[in-house]
Amino acid sequence: MLDLACGTGANLRELAPRLGGSQCWTLVDHDPALLGALPGVLAAWTQANGFVLEAGATRMHIEGPGWNAEVRPVCIDLALELGAVPFAGTRLVTASALLDLVSASWLDALFAHARMAGAAMLFALNVDGRIAWNPPVAGDAEVDRLFASHQRRDKGFGPALGGTAVSFAVSRLRALKYEVAQAASDWRIDAGENASGTAMLTAMVEGMGAAAIEQDPTARASVSEWMQRRIDVLDHTSLCIGHQEILAT
């Protein structure tokens, strides 16, 4: 298994017990701090679940019921050094919340590497462009449009696919003769559920507003008014942000 932009190993923690058997994971990220945090994160996870972790200087080994995993972290800047990623021998390429950040040409290159290796692919939490506020307020459409445009900016991989990433990826994968399955994995945030829901919604309003203003500084006044209207109804607001899972075999 090859996990791209692995962060602190969320895909490994979710998938390894489900896959079963003997596994070998290569976790790739450009951030040495995130890779350095992996042993501590995995130690807490294994202890909480009754697994056994052996951590070495460059590799880790995890034993669970019916499965075991060799884990090797590798520091590679995926935006600049995709060709340095060890695709050979990989059976599964996986990533989470990555596809909407990359360009069409970068994604084509990734798919070509995976196809040459004969690997399946599993991509989680891919933004698909759907945003639904409840209740709606004036300005939602304008901010959503500006936010979507901001998502298409260059995130280091070339012009980002943003909300078009899912449809683009599925089309390209099918052209490469992959069988593709999709499933919705929408973010659903509700201020009425708990304090963390309210905090997350506040962050979303502030973040989307800031991105909209950055995309079109002339819209500052109207976006600021939208942000205030959203804050005014925050205590009975819910938000759905569309995401899709993609499995290609």
Side-chain angles (χ1 to χ4, degrees):
M1 271 65 73
L2 178 62
D3 187 15
L4 303 179
C6 66
T8 56
N11 281 347
L12 164 68
R13 286 178 282 147
E14 178 66 25
L15 294 175
R18 296 174 180 270
L19 290 169
S22 294
Q23 308 167 25
C24 179
W25 285 79
T26 301
L27 305 186
V28 179
D29 204 282
H30 79 292
D31 189 340
L34 289 174
L35 294 176
L38 269 169
V41 172
L42 293 180
W45 172 68
T46 52
Q47 183 176 12
N49 288 276
F51 307 149
V52 177
L53 171 68
E54 298 175 7
T58 59
R59 290 177 180 266
M60 290 165 277
H61 181 81
I62 305 171
E63 289 280 348
W67 66 275
N68 63 85
E70 294 287 334
V71 182
R72 179 172 70 109
V74 179
C75 190
I76 296 175
D77 188 335
L78 292 171
L80 302 176
E81 304 173 287
L82 184 62
V85 174
F87 285 95
T90 296
R91 302 300 297 150
L92 174 67
V93 175
T94 186
S96 182
L98 176 64
L99 298 195
D100 52 284
L101 303 178
V102 305
S103 65
S105 60
W106 188 93
L107 199 54
D108 277 336
L110 169 62
F111 290 169
H113 282 294
R115 189 72 181 88
M116 185 173 294
M121 289 175 262
L122 175 63
F123 301 110
L125 290 175
N126 307 292
V127 171
D128 65 9
R130 292 177 294 119
I131 298 177
W133 293 95
N134 185 35
V137 301
D140 284 348
E142 178 192 18
V143 172
D144 291 353
R145 177 181 60 80
L146 292 174
F147 182 69
S149 297
H150 190 276
Q151 286 186 305
R152 299 294 299 273
R153 287 187 170 197
D154 191 332
K155 305 298 192 296
F157 296 84
L161 287 164
T164 68
V166 171
S167 58
F168 178 87
V170 168
S171 174
R172 286 292 204 265
L173 288 166
R174 286 177 174 155
L176 291 169
K177 307 305 181 186
Y178 276 88
E179 292 187 11
V180 181
Q182 295 173 248
S185 55
D186 296 347
W187 286 8
R188 298 185 183 277
I189 312 163
D190 191 339
E193 288 185 351
N194 48 47
S196 63
T198 301
M200 184 64 175
L201 280 172
T202 301
M204 293 299 299
V205 170
E206 293 172 349
M208 293 175 72
I213 292 170
E214 185 177 1
Q215 184 65 22
D216 182 4
T218 67
R220 176 179 295 275
S222 62
V223 172
S224 296
E225 291 169 0
W226 171 84
M227 293 171 70
Q228 187 57 57
R229 286 192 291 271
R230 278 268 149 241
I231 295 299
D232 289 345
V233 298
L234 196 69
D235 61 351
H236 58 279
T237 290
S238 63
L239 171 64
C240 177
I241 300 182
H243 288 74
Q244 293 280 326
E245 314 290 288
I246 300 173
L247 173 64
T249 55

